[in-house]
Amino acid sequence: MPENTPNIGRRLACMLYESLVVFAVLLIGFLLPQILLSGFGMVMGAKLLWVHVFLLLMLYFVWFWLNGGQTLPMKTWKIRLVGTDDRAIRPGQALLRYLAAWPGVIFFGCGIFWALFDKEGQFLHDRIAGTKIITSST
């Protein structure tokens, strides 16, 4: 594993912290609008609710990855998302990484476990998107 790749324990701890932030994002960006809509007698169907969650999380992750390469938990754990060329990722890479992460997490975390066998210790969705997680100096 390259020297600037954070170990799997550090990345998993960051993901745990990220889950708390995602909970807050969903609380504000999903639950609050749903409460307001239901106050006016408007109810969305189940499929539309899932689309709302998917798009809300996509907005959160892609925006942060494109604007500095770090979410708040990534800043706390001093890790950064970059392209395989160590430059800032492009919008297409950020979107592809987000889309590729869903199956890797939903199917029993196989995309996360991939890092245990990857020669550079990267997640499967990073391999697919041409990105990597590195240790950040800031």
Side-chain angles (χ1 to χ4, degrees):
M1 185 178 333
E3 190 174 301
N4 66 343
T5 301
N7 66 38
I8 190 77
R10 186 174 180 178
R11 287 181 285 158
L12 290 175
C14 181
M15 288 174 71
L16 180 63
Y17 182 13
E18 192 77 67
S19 69
L20 297 173
V21 174
V22 164
F23 178 74
V25 167
L26 290 175
L27 188 65
I28 300 300
F30 178 77
L31 187 59
L32 190 59
Q34 297 308 317
I35 291 170
L36 291 173
L37 286 174
S38 68
F40 291 103
M42 302 167 73
V43 179
M44 283 197 242
K47 289 180 184 175
L48 195 53
L49 292 175
W50 278 110
V51 169
H52 184 172
V53 168
F54 184 81
L55 293 175
L56 180 65
L57 292 179
M58 183 174 69
L59 179 68
Y60 166 76
F61 283 110
V62 170
W63 190 87
F64 276 104
W65 293 338
L66 291 175
N67 291 284
Q70 297 173 295
T71 60
L72 177 63
M74 292 171 79
K75 287 180 184 181
T76 302
W77 285 92
K78 296 189 183 330
I79 61 178
R80 177 182 303 279
L81 180 66
V82 295
T84 53
D85 58 358
D86 291 326
R87 297 174 65 178
I89 64 171
R90 297 179 312 277
Q93 285 178 296
L95 184 59
L96 182 57
R97 185 178 196 266
Y98 175 77
L99 295 173
W102 276 95
V105 172
I106 290 172
F107 293 122
F108 309 106
C110 65
I112 306 300
F113 288 123
W114 175 275
L116 297 173
F117 305 103
D118 187 86
K119 65 182 181 206
E120 295 177 357
Q122 296 299 325
F123 296 133
L124 180 58
H125 47 274
D126 287 311
R127 284 284 174 218
I128 292 170
T131 59
K132 63 182 180 178
I133 299 285
I134 61 169
T135 302
S136 173
S137 59
T138 56

